[in-house]
Every structure is written in C-alpha cells, then in structure tokens.
Amino acid sequence: AIEYQDGMENWDIPHFEGMQSVKLPVLTTTGKNFVRASEDLFVYRSGFTKPSVVFENGGFSFTSAFNASICGFRLPIKLQKDKTYYVKCDYENMTTIRIYGSDILSNEIDTNWETKVLNQNGERFTFDKQFEYYYVGFYPNAGFQMKIKNLQIEEGTVATAYEPYKTNILTVNEDVT
C-alpha cells in the first residue's frame, strides 16, 4: 500500500487532468492523407530564421532567399517501417520533396536525420527503420515564392486523387471486454 501524502485526497477519481477517462477506450482513425498542413505542425531548417508562412486555399506559401531554406510539416501520425508510401503535391518554385525520420521531436529540421530525397513531381518511399517522428520538407528555388497545394502522403505505390487530412476520434462509453 502507498502511504498517504498531501494531494492524494482525490486518488479514487478515475480521470486524468483535462477530463480524459482512464476507463473509456478511445479510437482515433485517420483518412488516407497523412499530412495536416497547419501552423502547429510547421517546421523549418535548423540554424535558419523561421520563414513567414501564409496558409491559404488549402495550401501554403513562403519566400526564401536561398535554396537551403527548407520548410514543411511534422506528420501527425507515425509511418511504419517497411511500408511503402507515396507523396504528391501541386507546387510552384520547388526543387525537391524530402521525408525525414527522427526520434527527436522538434520544430526545426536537422538535415542529418535519415532523409529520403524525392522527385518534386511525386514519388514512393519506404523507411527500413522505425522512427518516432516523421517530417515532410520542401526545398524552394532561391528568391522565389514557393507554393504548395494538395499535399498528400498516403500508403501505397501510386498517387491517388487528393483528399484533405481527415481524422475521427471515437470514445466508447462502456467497458470493452
């Protein structure tokens, strides 16, 4: 038995902070597109000034003074090693797409992470090692405004029609046995 300490008055309440029950199972499902392009998942190259990004019409854009100024997004889901994925987007003024695997959670991309350099017109890729975090990054053409729309990473060997990122959270209000 644990000896009583200050703050243990409510240990019998079965909830975490934020009202998330420990007894209710939660299932999160994600659609076919694994990229949620949003400010909270935005990343940029380590050692560089964070670029100003504009989100509009289902895409994003930014201007870079030189080619090495990568920007992109952390994926909200974990990819699986040895599975094949396909990345595709509509773009202006971009040279390559890069997929990074890392065990480090960061807002800055480290180019020493395991990297898949992919064709700007889309390409399939596979990681042979499992990572905790995955990032998609883009190399812009120097001095131009890079625009990305309809960004999609999906499981499979070919690109399919674009679908925005979708997720559902299902909570079951009964014990599951």
Side-chain angles (χ1 to χ4, degrees):
I2 298 175
E3 191 174 313
Y4 177 82
Q5 300 173 14
D6 283 340
M8 293 176 67
E9 295 84 13
N10 295 319
W11 268 37
D12 61 330
I13 298 175
H15 293 279
F16 290 112
E17 194 170 310
M19 299 299 289
Q20 185 170 2
S21 173
V22 297
K23 291 188 175 189
L24 301 178
V26 174
L27 173 65
T28 301
T29 60
T30 303
K32 71 175 183 177
N33 188 355
F34 299 149
V35 180
R36 180 168 57 90
S38 65
E39 185 69 38
D40 64 315
L41 296 176
F42 180 72
V43 294
Y44 58 97
R45 185 172 179 178
S46 178
F48 289 80
T49 303
K50 181 179 179 179
S52 176
V53 178
V54 177
F55 292 93
E56 59 190 357
N57 301 325
F60 69 95
S61 63
F62 83 105
T63 302
S64 172
F66 45 91
N67 285 343
S69 184
I70 309 163
C71 78
F73 301 94
R74 179 171 45 83
L75 301 183
I77 65 125
K78 190 185 296 189
L79 302 179
Q80 300 299 312
K81 76 173 193 161
D82 299 326
K83 283 199 174 188
T84 301
Y85 299 91
Y86 203 96
V87 61
K88 180 97 172 92
C89 65
D90 299 327
Y91 66 91
E92 290 179 27
N93 300 312
M94 183 212 4
T95 60
T96 59
I97 301 171
R98 299 189 180 217
I99 308 293
Y100 300 92
S102 175
D103 290 323
I104 298 169
L105 176 61
S106 178
N107 291 330
E108 296 184 17
I109 293 172
D110 183 336
T111 56
N112 293 317
W113 292 344
E114 184 158 335
T115 308
K116 304 293 181 185
V117 179
L118 307 173
N119 183 296
Q120 63 200 30
N121 295 317
E123 192 173 338
R124 64 182 174 209
F125 65 94
T126 302
F127 282 95
D128 58 6
K129 180 181 175 194
Q130 186 67 52
F131 294 98
E132 286 298 311
Y133 305 100
Y134 293 87
Y135 304 80
V136 58
F138 306 93
Y139 267 76
N141 289 325
F144 290 93
Q145 183 180 40
M146 181 180 72
K147 295 182 180 182
I148 304 290
K149 283 185 76 169
N150 301 330
L151 171 59
Q152 180 162 288
I153 295 177
E154 62 186 308
E155 190 173 332
T157 59
V158 296
T160 62
Y162 172 76
E163 178 182 290
Y165 176 82
K166 298 176 186 173
T167 188
N168 290 307
I169 297 174
L170 172 67
T171 303
V172 179
N173 293 323
E174 315 177 350
D175 286 341
V176 175
T177 57

